[in-house]
Structure formats: C-alpha cells, structure tokens
Amino acid sequence: MNVDTLSYNYQMNVGKSQIYEVIHEEQQRYFQSNGFSNGEFQEGAEIPLTMPSKLGTTKIPAIMRLSKLTQDEIELITFYNKGEIIQRYVLDARSSSKTQVTYSERNFFHQARNQYSFIFLALLYKFFYNRGMKKRMVYLEKQCRKKEEGVA
C-alpha cells in the first residue's frame, strides 16, 4: 500500500459469499438513503452527497460512484472539489467459513500540498481509523450472523 492509502485487514469467521452479500446490501442501503432510485444497484450507480471533512468541521459536496462490484471486490470512488477518495473492500476466502476482508481508502488530491498534508496527518489519524474500522468489521460480521440465524 502507498503512504496515501489507509488500510485495515480483518479475518471474518464467515464465508466469502456471505460477507459479499452483507457489504453489497449495506452499500445499497447507503445509496438509497442518499436518494439513489435509478434502477438496479450496479457498477456506475451514483449519488450526490455531503461528506464531513477529515476533522469533521465542515460539510463538503461530493459525488459517490460504485465503480466495481464483483464477488472479490467492491470499490467506491468519491469525487469532490479537492480530489477523490477510492474506498475498496477486497474479499479473500481462506476457507469455506473464513474470509480475509481488506478495506482501504486511498486519497488523491489535485494540489500537491494537500497530498503532503494528508500523508502527514494520516500518521496521526491511523489510530482512530483502525479503531473505527474494527468496529465496522465487527458490525459486518454480526450482520452475517444475523442473516444465518434468519434475524436480518
């Protein structure tokens, strides 16, 4: 991974198809909650949104696009005035009941000084990022369990 990429790995005790289905449903729900109603949720789907800045002090207008949707990878690109963010889930089956999930966020900026600032701040931000990603992965794994039990 590059220095401009934040990444988190988590091994789930669920099958690859289960976690793919849950992530797909979560992303589809997110798109729908932001106004997506243009037919089937597939590659190329887009939504306008406002996202918080990394420090959470302001709201930034953006467009999010589902750029890749396969059993092995789900990729979203968020375009905004200073650059773009590529979010990616990579699913790697370790066995029929274990899946390595790698989530990454890569930030590209139009101006080099913003890129350098991000690289510096990412070193500090990484602790909070990891904590948040662990919570997200545990949540996704619990959603898989609920589906198995027929609760979801």
Side-chain angles (χ1 to χ4, degrees):
M1 289 285 158
N2 298 341
V3 292
D4 59 356
T5 303
L6 295 168
S7 182
Y8 188 81
N9 294 307
Y10 188 82
Q11 184 162 303
M12 294 191 181
N13 293 312
V14 297
K16 181 176 164 181
S17 63
Q18 291 172 285
I19 188 59
Y20 168 80
E21 188 178 322
V22 165
I23 294 171
H24 181 276
E25 289 172 359
E26 289 285 318
Q27 292 303 319
Q28 185 171 358
R29 255 192 305 281
Y30 180 77
F31 268 60
Q32 289 169 341
S33 73
N34 281 283
F36 179 75
S37 60
N38 301 351
E40 191 175 335
F41 184 67
Q42 59 190 4
E43 289 181 10
E46 281 187 353
I47 54 169
L49 54 91
T50 56
M51 61 182 199
S53 63
K54 290 286 184 206
L55 299 175
T57 55
T58 59
K59 295 282 187 182
I60 302 166
I63 293 175
M64 181 179 279
R65 177 183 303 143
L66 178 62
S67 58
K68 189 169 188 178
L69 184 62
T70 69
Q71 292 290 322
D72 298 321
E73 187 175 342
I74 297 172
E75 182 181 84
L76 302 147
I77 303 176
T78 303
F79 302 93
Y80 66 108
N81 64 348
K82 292 190 178 185
E84 60 188 59
I85 303 167
I86 299 174
Q87 299 167 273
R88 181 177 292 138
Y89 289 92
V90 177
L91 311 176
D92 182 21
R94 300 299 176 146
S95 71
S96 63
S97 62
K98 290 193 185 301
T99 305
Q100 178 79 30
V101 179
T102 302
Y103 174 83
S104 63
E105 252 180 54
R106 186 160 188 195
N107 292 266
F108 293 97
F109 296 91
H110 298 309
Q111 294 183 341
R113 73 182 173 116
N114 290 342
Q115 192 78 32
Y116 295 130
S117 294
F118 173 78
I119 291 168
F120 174 73
L121 290 174
L123 298 172
L124 303 171
Y125 178 66
K126 181 76 170 140
F127 170 77
F128 298 103
Y129 172 84
N130 284 347
R131 193 168 65 180
M133 286 312 306
K134 182 171 184 177
K135 287 180 184 177
R136 175 79 175 147
M137 294 296 180
V138 168
Y139 168 79
L140 292 171
E141 190 171 24
K142 284 180 181 176
Q143 294 304 107
C144 289
R145 295 278 174 249
K146 286 181 178 179
K147 284 183 80 80
E148 276 181 355
E149 297 165 1
V151 176

